[in-house]
Amino acid sequence: MSDTISVTVKVWRQNGPDSPGGFETHPQQISIDASFLEMLDLLNEQLNDRGEEPIVFESDCREGICGTCGVMINGRAHGPQKATATCQLHMREFADGDEIVIEPFRAAGFPVIRDLAVDRSPLDHIIESGGYISVGSGAAPDANLTPVPKDAAEQAFDAAACIGCGACVAACPNSAAQLFTSAKVGHMALLPQGQPERWSRTEAMVDVMETYFGSCTNHGECHEACPKEISLDFIAYLNRDYVRAKVKNRALSGQR
Amino acid sequence: MAQSTRERYRVDPVRTRRRAWPFPLNIYQSAVGRKWVMALTGIGLVGFALIHMVGNLHVYEGPARMYEYAETLRTLGGGLVPKSFVLWLMRLGLTGMFALHLHAAITLKDMSRHSSDNAGLMSGAKKYAGGRDHIAATYASRTMRWTGPIIALYLLFHLADLTWGWWLGPDFIRGDPYHNVATSLSSLPVAILYVVANAALALHIFHGAWSIFQSLGVNNPRYNHLRRGLAAGIAGLILIGNLSFPILTQTGLISEDNRACPINDSDGLVCLAEEAEGH
Ligand code: HEM
Ligand code: SF4
Ligand code: FES
């Protein structure tokens, strides 16, 4: 038999980017085996039954890989459990009688679309500025044509684990997107395949980042908030690569 | 799909990019580059704070040694350069570093404030109603923008106090730093001010010295675990040294009771010079 807890859900409601918004409170009885988003689903069904507007929140994969579901739970991005996206959080992390405050990720670069859903497209713009291959490049190369040192491959893989959820921005007192950008820059800068455009890519992505987000002061909150535990080391690599990119003679970069 | 998403969702940038300045000034145009400048000037300022503290330990060797130390600073560079030339170069460099550090701090803070617009329930500061428990941010890192200005104000006070002698009046004797220090710090309010300001300085350096490594990308997982300790060590050393001056003046260890030379800017200084020679 599963246990049930009673919690008070205090949730942010906002009709659109320019509406003022405010909190709404709903008591909830919920099984501790329910996921956090299932709790919101059930709450929405109750709201529907009463003819009220359901709470808008985003989710897609519900297995911690798509990065859409992030919300602020009791002041912590993705809630109290470390290295866990909101969709993977379960109600057993809460105690009977808890008040659960749910808010959208906040930053000037993340305008609220409605309720808990925010527009994180600035993160996409950072990615776009990194460029992509749009030319026919022939058949796929042989798998082992380009040797990759194992350590570099592992490090790059750690960076590539970023799901683009924006929790780092939301948790950052400066609303900086350094952790996200450094993960995206890092996973390519570490691999041989990423070298040809390493310097121009770093420059372009940082430049776009800085048109939307704040300036990193090395608090380290992002790493704590990150569901994928992206390391602060990537921020250091990014900061170094950016200034190196500025001073680099591009014609010689192939020869390091 | 990328096309349609781009059309439908485009958040307006918080700031527009200005035309690029020529290299290397363009580095300072970016926040990442500006943090490099903060970090490099930070290294210079921490270095200064450390050397300044160590130099002032001469006060424990008495008035003559302190006089000699001040004289050494003025005659750095030996006969190759005019007197006080190197000292003025250092002052110029320090002023420049301060100015850059301050400008970068103010502009970057402003940038972060704009990026957090609408990000709080109350206007201005970023805040969540659910309470933010700072998990990683330290007290020092969260108070950089307060400890910074405290240091700046303290610095002005300190210069007016012991370099320009604004309020010691006739008690201020140029060239006799031991006397000036002992006189100024024997006032309890002044001593308290020095203690508070140096606590702020130590907090600032505790986060700053760690932050330098990240800002410059000096990162090697093999040594990263040493960075916090190093920052704490440097901050602690500067704190202990600097706190000793007001505290030991108040407790009477730094005092002029047993002073051999007269206190004035004529034969007093000659006497100090002779005593220093005699050592
Ligand atoms: C004029 C007064 C000062 C102001 C207003 C000021 C302000 C600031 C601010 C706002 C930061 C950024 C905080 C952050 O990144 O979290 C900073 C960083 C720093 N400050 Fe200061 N500061 C001042 C004086 C000093 C002094 C006297 C020292 C050295 C003894 C110093 C050393 C540092 C260092 C090492 C950093 C870290 C740079 C980095 O992040 O790479 N500052 N300062
Ligand atoms: S770095 Fe972590 S917190 Fe930031 S977007 Fe990527 S997964 Fe989310
Ligand atoms: S819904 Fe995909 S990561 Fe949570």
Side-chain angles (χ1 to χ4, degrees), chain B:
Chain B
M1 198 208 85
Q3 282 299 323
S4 65
T5 6
R6 176 187 288 225
E7 313 275 295
R8 277 182 52 218
Y9 301 118
R10 184 158 271 278
V11 176
D12 288 332
V14 178
R15 63 192 68 79
T16 49
R17 297 193 57 72
R18 281 184 298 163
R19 205 158 48 88
W21 296 336
F23 179 83
L25 295 180
N26 60 348
I27 293 177
Y28 193 69
Q29 272 182 307
S30 75
V32 169
R34 206 164 280 199
K35 279 294 287 201
W36 268 62
V37 172
M38 284 205 84
L40 293 175
T41 55
I43 292 175
L45 293 170
V46 171
F48 163 73
L50 197 63
I51 292 168
H52 187 66
M53 184 279 286
V54 171
N56 284 342
L57 293 176
H58 283 293
V59 67
Y60 296 118
E61 296 179 319
R65 281 288 169 186
M66 196 63 187
Y67 167 87
E68 193 187 22
Y69 164 57
E71 198 53 27
T72 307
L73 287 182
R74 277 187 280 274
T75 51
L76 278 180
L80 287 178
V81 292
K83 193 170 178 197
S84 294
F85 182 78
V86 173
L87 183 62
W88 272 106
L89 273 189
M90 294 198 299
R91 286 175 174 166
L92 219 65
L94 279 172
T95 312
M97 289 195 289
F98 255 114
L100 276 174
H101 193 85
L102 200 68
H103 180 261
I106 293 170
T107 50
L108 289 178
K109 194 74 226 169
D110 199 52
M111 174 174 170
S112 292
R113 220 183 333 263
H114 282 302
S115 305
S116 300
D117 275 351
N118 309 318
L121 297 167
M122 291 149 284
S123 60
K126 178 159 174 165
K127 195 137 183 65
Y128 290 100
R132 280 182 63 75
D133 36 357
H134 292 274
I135 307 166
T138 59
Y139 182 76
S141 79
R142 285 181 285 129
T143 51
M144 289 300 268
R145 65 188 161 144
W146 299 114
T147 52
I150 291 174
I151 299 167
L153 291 176
Y154 158 69
L155 188 80
L156 289 176
F157 173 88
H158 179 57
L159 286 174
D161 183 27
L162 292 173
T163 304
W164 305 322
W166 280 3
W167 35 78
L168 287 183
D171 273 339
F172 181 79
I173 295 175
R174 190 171 304 282
D176 189 351
Y178 188 98
H179 165 73
N180 295 335
V181 169
T183 313
S184 173
L185 292 183
S186 62
S187 147
L188 186 62
V190 174
I192 291 175
L193 193 144
Y194 272 84
V195 170
V196 171
N198 276 294
L201 179 66
L203 277 175
H204 198 84
I205 294 175
F206 173 69
H207 178 66
W210 179 81
S211 188
I212 288 171
F213 290 101
Q214 283 293 102
S215 298
L216 298 180
V218 181
N219 185 300
N220 181 336
R222 196 171 295 161
Y223 305 114
N224 281 349
H225 64 286
L226 301 174
R227 298 185 300 180
R228 278 275 178 217
L230 187 72
I234 293 174
L237 217 60
I238 294 176
L239 181 69
I240 293 171
N242 279 348
L243 285 193
S244 75
F245 305 121
I247 291 175
L248 294 184
T249 306
Q250 284 294 318
T251 57
L253 197 91
I254 300 174
S255 87
E256 301 193 281
D257 293 347
N258 302 320
R259 186 178 165 121
C261 288
I263 300 172
N264 61 49
D265 61 2
S266 46
D267 57 330
L269 294 189
V270 175
C271 169
L272 287 174
E274 280 167 359
E275 196 186 326
E277 277 299 300
H279 267 285

Side-chain angles (χ1 to χ4, degrees), chain A residues 74-76 103 106 108 128 169-172 174-175 210-215 217-219 221 232-233 236 239-240 242, chain B residues 6 11 14-15 30-32 36 112 115-116 119 126 128-132 135-137 141 207 210-211 214-215 217 219:
Chain A
N74 287 342
R76 293 178 64 166
E103 295 162 271
R106 293 185 193 280
E128 286 163 21
V169 176
C172 176
N174 303 306
S175 302
E210 292 183 355
T211 64
Y212 290 100
F213 298 105
S215 163
T217 64
N218 302 319
H219 282 300
E221 287 296 324
L232 295 179
D233 295 351
N239 292 344
R240 189 175 60 201
Y242 182 75
Chain B
R6 176 187 288 225
V11 176
V14 178
R15 63 192 68 79
S30 75
V32 169
W36 268 62
S112 292
S115 305
S116 300
K126 178 159 174 165
Y128 290 100
R132 280 182 63 75
I135 307 166
S141 79
H207 178 66
W210 179 81
S211 188
Q214 283 293 102
S215 298
N219 185 300

Side-chain angles (χ1 to χ4, degrees), chain A residues 13-229:
Chain A
R13 304 302 303 265
Q14 183 172 343
N15 283 332
D18 302 317
S19 329
F23 282 101
E24 231 173 50
T25 307
H26 299 281
Q28 272 300 90
Q29 295 275 342
I30 187 80
S31 155
I32 58 166
D33 293 333
S35 80
F36 192 81
L37 296 184
E38 283 166 347
M39 185 275 289
L40 285 179
D41 289 337
L42 290 170
L43 175 55
N44 273 347
E45 279 179 24
Q46 295 165 16
L47 291 176
N48 263 334
D49 290 346
R50 295 207 298 265
E52 294 170 31
E53 280 288 329
I55 300 156
V56 174
F57 63 91
E58 284 187 273
S59 76
D60 188 14
C61 70
R62 299 212 173 187
E63 56 179 18
I65 54 169
C66 74
T68 56
C69 60
V71 292
M72 220 66 188
I73 302 165
N74 287 342
R76 293 178 64 166
H78 293 296
Q81 195 176 4
K82 217 172 141 43
T84 307
T86 303
C87 57
Q88 302 233 284
L89 182 67
H90 283 76
M91 294 312 292
R92 65 180 79 92
E93 295 299 319
F94 300 90
D96 195 43
D98 275 1
E99 181 185 66
I100 303 174
V101 183
I102 313 172
E103 295 162 271
F105 280 177
R106 293 185 193 280
F110 287 174
V112 172
I113 298 170
R114 197 181 171 106
D115 296 342
L116 303 174
V118 299
D119 187 343
R120 281 167 296 193
S121 53
L123 297 185
D124 298 338
H125 304 329
I126 295 174
I127 299 288
E128 286 163 21
S129 71
Y132 48 87
I133 301 291
S134 52
V135 293
S137 52
D142 274 351
N144 291 326
L145 201 60
T146 313
V148 182
K150 180 167 182 295
D151 290 336
E154 280 179 359
Q155 184 88 346
F157 195 73
D158 284 349
C162 166
I163 56 177
C165 63
C168 42
V169 176
C172 176
N174 303 306
S175 302
Q178 222 88 352
L179 194 63
F180 167 80
T181 311
S182 70
K184 295 306 178 193
V185 166
H187 87 259
M188 292 182 279
L190 285 162
L191 295 175
Q193 291 90 338
Q195 296 312 307
E197 274 122 9
R198 176 170 177 185
W199 310 107
S200 52
R201 185 195 309 117
T202 305
E203 241 184 311
M205 290 176 75
V206 169
D207 288 348
V208 172
M209 169 184 87
E210 292 183 355
T211 64
Y212 290 100
F213 298 105
S215 163
C216 171
T217 64
N218 302 319
H219 282 300
E221 287 296 324
C222 49
H223 170 70
E224 294 300 324
C226 177
K228 300 297 158 187
E229 299 189 293

